[in-house]
Amino acid sequence: MLTSTDTVPLSGPLDAAALRRAARPLTVTVDEEARARVARGRRLFHALRHGPGGADRRIYGADTGFGALVGYAGRTDDADQCDNTLAHLGAGQGPDLAPEIVRAALLLRTRSLAQGLSGVSAEVVDRLAAMFATTFAPAVPRYGSVGASGDLIPLAYATQALRGRGHAYLDGDRMPAGEALTAAGLRPLVLDGRDALALVNGTSVTTAATALALDSVRAAHRSLTALSCLLTDLLGCDTGFLDADLLRAYGHPGAVDVGGRMRQALAGGAPSGTRPLQEPYSIRCAPQLLGAAEDALRHVDGVVAADLGGISDNPLFFPATGTDAGLGTGTEGAGEGKVVHGGNFFGQPAAFAADLLASVTAQLGNLAERQLDLLVDPARNGGLPPMLATEPGAQHGLQGVQLATTAFVAEIRRAATPAGMQSLPTNLHNQDVVPFGTQAALRAHDTAELLGLLCGSLALGLRQAAHVGARRPTAPRCAELLDALADAIPPVDPDRPLDSDVRTAARLLVRYARP
């Protein structure tokens, strides 16, 4: 049964929480204001195309070829022009994207179209909105987008599935899209050339994947902050490295804020007095590292918010405002408004943001792995047994988990090579610079999942440390976190496969660290 939290209006900007909820059935509402905007945009499109001067006015995608073939006439029949838009884009390859990414992308696309500047029919917005009340998700191959004229190829697969072509998922099962639509009680989309182009000519896959990745990395950042505090308390470290004056002198707002949160988490705790004067950097420099990550994530927050609230399409149709005199190149007007051809489908902001997000993910993952390494090392962990094994040799404790974390970090590092600066010309040099935002965003989404597993691995190690002899946390909030972990995960005694325990810990951390 749907609740009020499962309702998303198209009247304002979306956020990452709405995109994540789109993985499940939800109600997407199209209010009267949105309907009026869409109707106005559609009237303007028809006026510019068929009204006075329309015969001499070119509107990209309505009566032209696409991309490098824009100088040639398109098909004269509207239904044929829809096929002309989509058929040649069926060139993707590779495994299907996760359905939650596809549904999030389509929610973002629906919101963009509902702003009324794309000239689409009201039926397109209504049919898209109706889809979200079901579990329908188009099957979209991962590879094929350069993120320049929007996510053309992946969005073309999504659009074709909504027309009943290709494949789709329903209740998690992959099947022909026509069968999925029928089973979901949905009618196939009927589109003209303008509708079809507007559905594919945006950065919705890139933006959705970046937003979902950011949400996951933010959760991991909060988790790792809490785990760093629990590690500090379990080992009995002196907390002078969190001194407020010290961090203010550092001069970076993220470090000041993270340090404040860590002091709150460690409030009421008492150092053991047995630790070295200066802790390893993975403890002593945690507020500086986590603070730098916070500053970087705030930048990504701004980029994602702009993309979630913006309109990515080409061309756009603007109603008359009284300030349209002196229209420049690429702008053609009629009495009701103007059509503007430009590049609002260019995913460079998200590409740079996703690349930064990948760098943050790599360093946060490195911190989690190094903290776990410290915890399993008897030379640095305050005398706890090696690998936190209850009976070293007869048991091996966290040895397998520590090996796996090394592999996770290596995989994140390998994937963290920036994508947003690796432009390659394509499309007969029509797309002579491209941002590769889609690759950056999907890679950030992949590595964010690994970061969550690294946090789960560290949490499992901290839970095991308490079992094999670490002191009881003295700070109440740290003790609360340890108790939650202990309630969810039994001690590793004797050895057992720990893959599911790592996932359990990762899920618990997301809930615990939720603001």
Side-chain angles (χ1 to χ4, degrees), residues 103-115:
R103 283 176 60 93
L106 286 175
L107 179 59
L108 184 57
R109 199 82 215 109
T110 307
R111 185 262 166 200
S112 181
L113 298 179
Q115 303 317 298

Side-chain angles (χ1 to χ4, degrees), residues 224 289-290 293 357-369 412-413 451:
L224 193 49
L289 189 159
L290 292 165
L357 194 58
S359 295
V360 170
T361 299
Q363 187 64 329
L364 292 178
N366 189 60
L367 177 63
E369 187 276 334
I412 293 173
R413 288 181 181 180
L451 177 58

